[in-house]
């Protein structure tokens, strides 16, 4: 009896997934098709696939579990059965499903069954979801080809599963690499993904990327440092934030957002989002401004001579956004003896329990007991 029930359930799942993909296709151009892949963090897989010539768009979402309409918080916590996945909408006249499979293999670690790179857990494992028998056959063939190539010493463990319901992720996850390029690239550069891919596929270049793409290729080391224009910043920053960060102003002591903040988390540049300081290095200096003994990321902070107001001081600025942060003094506590006196208006605080959601998951270890 069980032998007949299990195949029946698989057929139902495949049919349901196929019908869902068909309904998605009905909303697209007549010739467009969709395919679903899970390769760890969907910010990264969405970015990788949207660079492929013939891909119309990639949508981040959740699939593989039984919970209906799951949230990011539920999926990322584990236990829902869902994985972070992307729905790739593509033009089959310009890129084939076989080629999409090649792109997929070239952007994951197919030997890792416990997640992908810095993101651990079943919700981040690699999966190819097939909507019909033809996709299943091609996926299995491509997996066998990769295994036979001998490129990886460990077994290829990526799963190939029937597609069920696909739930779009929250809006703030969609096109994250475009909306938050600097924050996205800080996350990606710290995830270990590109270092692994550069080693695994050394000397082999993908030839399916869009020539018109201006975004950073995930396999290149150059960091996107695009900063909004002054007109844009005047719309997104408060007048105080703009005056301090862009016009070298100073906020009043004891009357600013973070001088007395004792919550665990990190402080990033209010303009670019580049990580600057951590609550683990924050101390009460009695000055009325947030004070730190050292930067979280020393490369993101630069020091400049400041001769204003008839005195010589050391100004502190962010490297990528060139925001005025504050000043550095040599009267701080041990172990550094330094006091980074920083304006709250130049900072944005990311609580420790929101680091993953905000794209700073690589700093979680700072607050794990």
């Amino acid at each position: 009896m069980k032998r007949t029930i299990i195949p029946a359930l698989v057929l139902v799942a495949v049919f349901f997934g196929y019908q869902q993909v068909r309904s998605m296709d009905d909303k697209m151009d007549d010739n467009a098709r969709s395919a679903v892949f899970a390769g760890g963090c969907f910010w990264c897989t969405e970015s990788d696939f949207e660079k492929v010539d013939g891909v119309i768009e990639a949508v981040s979402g959740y699939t593989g579990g039984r919970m209906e309409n799951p949230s990011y918080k539920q999926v990322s916590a584990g236990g829902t059965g869902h994985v972070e996945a992307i729905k790739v909408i593509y033009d089959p006249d310009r890129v084939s499903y076989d080629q999409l499979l090649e792109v997929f293999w070239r952007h994951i670690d197919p030997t890792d069954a416990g997640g992908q790179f810095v993101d651990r857990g079943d919700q981040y494992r690699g999966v190819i979801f097939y909507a019909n028998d033809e996709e299943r056959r091609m996926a299995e063939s491509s997996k066998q080809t990769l295994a036979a190539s001998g490129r990886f010493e460990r077994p290829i463990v990526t799963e190939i599963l029937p597609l069920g319901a696909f739930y779009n992720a929250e809006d703030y996850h969609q096109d994250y690499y475009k909306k938050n390029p600097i924050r996205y690239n800080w996350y990606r550069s710290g995830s270990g993904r590109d270092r692994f891919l550069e080693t695994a596929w050394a000397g082999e270049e993908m030839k399916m990327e869009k020539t018109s793409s201006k975004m950073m290729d995930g396999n290149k080391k150059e960091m996107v440092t695009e900063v909004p224009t002054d007109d844009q910043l005047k719309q997104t920053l408060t007048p105080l934030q703009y005056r301090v960060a862009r016009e070298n102003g100073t906020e009043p002591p004891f009357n600013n957002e973070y001088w007395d903040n004792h919550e665990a988390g990190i402080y990033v540049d209010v303009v670019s989002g580049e990580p600057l300081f951590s609550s683990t290095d924050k101390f009460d200096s009695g000055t009325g401004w947030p004070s730190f003994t050292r930067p979280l990321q020393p490369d993101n902070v630069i020091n400049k001579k400041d001769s204003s107001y008839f005195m010589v001081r050391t100004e502190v600025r962010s490297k990528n956004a060139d925001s005025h942060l504050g000043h550095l003094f040599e009267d701080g506590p041990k172990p550094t003896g330094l006091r980074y006196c920083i304006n709250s208006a130049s900072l944005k605080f990311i609580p420790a329990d929101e680091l993953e959601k905000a794209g700073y998951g690589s700093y979680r270890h700072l607050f794990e007991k």
Side-chain angles (χ1 to χ4, degrees):
M1 184 67 178
K2 291 182 179 178
R3 293 181 180 178
T4 59
I5 292 176
I6 293 175
L9 291 175
V10 172
L11 287 174
V12 170
V14 172
F15 176 78
F16 184 79
Y18 177 71
Q19 291 300 319
Q20 177 136 352
V21 171
R22 290 287 300 180
S23 66
M24 294 171 182
D25 291 342
D26 290 342
K27 299 177 182 179
M28 304 180 295
D29 295 339
D30 291 341
N31 198 40
R33 295 292 181 265
S34 63
V36 177
F37 304 96
C41 170
F42 47 27
W43 295 344
C44 295
T45 47
E46 178 183 309
S47 169
D48 293 334
F49 273 90
E50 286 197 342
K51 293 181 178 69
V52 176
D53 189 24
V55 170
I56 300 169
E57 69 170 324
V59 180
S60 292
Y62 316 108
T63 191
R66 296 183 178 180
M67 179 181 291
E68 295 184 0
N69 299 309
S71 67
Y72 172 78
K73 184 176 182 180
Q74 291 170 323
V75 174
S76 63
T80 66
H82 287 294
V83 293
E84 288 195 10
I86 59 165
K87 176 183 64 179
V88 180
I89 301 171
Y90 67 100
D91 181 351
D93 291 336
R94 297 170 60 194
V95 62
S96 67
Y97 185 73
D98 269 332
Q99 289 175 313
L100 294 180
L101 288 169
E102 181 182 352
V103 173
F104 173 74
W105 294 122
R106 292 286 290 266
H107 289 90
I108 68 164
D109 178 358
T111 68
D112 189 349
Q116 286 291 293
F117 311 106
V118 73
D119 297 305
R120 312 311 302 159
D122 286 347
Q123 65 270 34
Y124 295 109
R125 71 190 191 278
V127 184
I128 299 171
F129 292 96
Y130 61 88
N132 51 56
D133 284 340
E134 181 65 9
E135 288 186 358
R136 177 186 56 77
R137 183 192 63 77
M138 288 190 286
E140 291 176 348
S141 176
S142 69
K143 181 178 179 179
Q144 292 168 3
T145 299
L146 181 62
S149 71
R151 178 171 295 279
F152 299 96
E153 294 182 359
R154 296 187 298 170
I156 306 301
V157 296
T158 304
E159 297 177 73
I160 299 174
L161 301 175
L163 175 64
F166 182 95
Y167 301 97
N168 287 6
E170 295 82 346
D171 287 345
Y172 68 85
H173 285 303
Q174 307 300 336
D175 290 324
Y176 190 89
Y177 75 103
K178 294 179 180 178
K179 298 173 183 175
N180 304 280
I182 294 180
R183 296 183 189 182
Y184 164 74
N185 283 302
W186 284 124
Y187 161 77
R188 180 153 186 156
S189 65
S191 71
R193 180 183 292 260
D194 292 329
R195 288 190 295 275
F196 173 87
L197 298 177
E198 288 171 2
T199 301
W201 298 94
E204 296 192 27
E205 184 179 355
M206 291 287 290
K207 298 181 179 179
M208 291 182 284
E209 292 186 356
K210 298 175 182 177
T211 57
S212 61
S213 176
K214 296 183 180 180
M215 296 302 298
M216 187 192 82
D217 182 342
N219 291 329
K220 295 180 181 178
K221 295 181 179 179
E222 180 182 356
M223 180 68 72
V224 173
T225 56
E226 182 179 352
V227 174
T229 65
D230 281 347
D231 287 341
Q232 291 173 322
L233 290 175
K234 288 178 180 178
Q235 298 297 318
T236 58
L237 301 180
T238 67
L240 177 61
Q241 288 173 330
Y242 185 86
R243 181 170 64 83
V244 172
R246 311 316 288 174
E247 297 179 338
N248 304 329
T250 301
E251 66 193 5
F254 302 103
N255 187 23
N256 56 76
E257 191 169 5
Y258 302 127
W259 77 273
D260 197 30
N261 180 35
H262 300 290
E263 189 176 353
I266 67 172
Y267 296 83
V268 303
D269 187 285
V270 72
V271 173
S272 66
E274 56 198 288
L276 298 174
F277 300 97
S278 169
S279 62
T280 57
D281 302 309
K282 192 171 184 288
F283 70 99
D284 184 2
S285 63
T287 62
W289 288 287
S291 298
F292 306 88
T293 57
R294 58 190 166 195
L296 173 61
Q297 291 285 154
D299 291 344
N300 295 346
V301 175
I302 59 176
N303 300 332
K304 297 180 66 176
K305 181 179 179 181
D306 179 5
S307 302
S308 62
Y309 300 105
F310 306 103
M311 65 180 78
V312 178
R313 296 177 295 174
T314 301
E315 181 191 10
V316 181
R317 303 188 72 88
S318 61
K319 180 179 179 180
N320 291 287
D322 192 34
S323 298
H324 169 70
L325 302 177
H327 290 86
L328 173 61
F329 302 94
E330 297 182 354
D331 58 3
K334 295 180 180 181
T336 66
L338 301 176
R339 172 169 59 93
Y340 286 83
C341 187
I342 307 299
N343 289 281
S344 292
S346 296
L347 303 175
K348 178 180 179 180
F349 179 69
I350 311 295
D353 60 0
E354 296 181 13
L355 290 173
E356 187 76 38
K357 173 182 175 180
Y360 301 96
S362 59
Y363 297 104
R364 289 177 303 182
H365 68 279
L366 295 175
F367 309 101
E368 294 174 351
K369 297 181 180 180

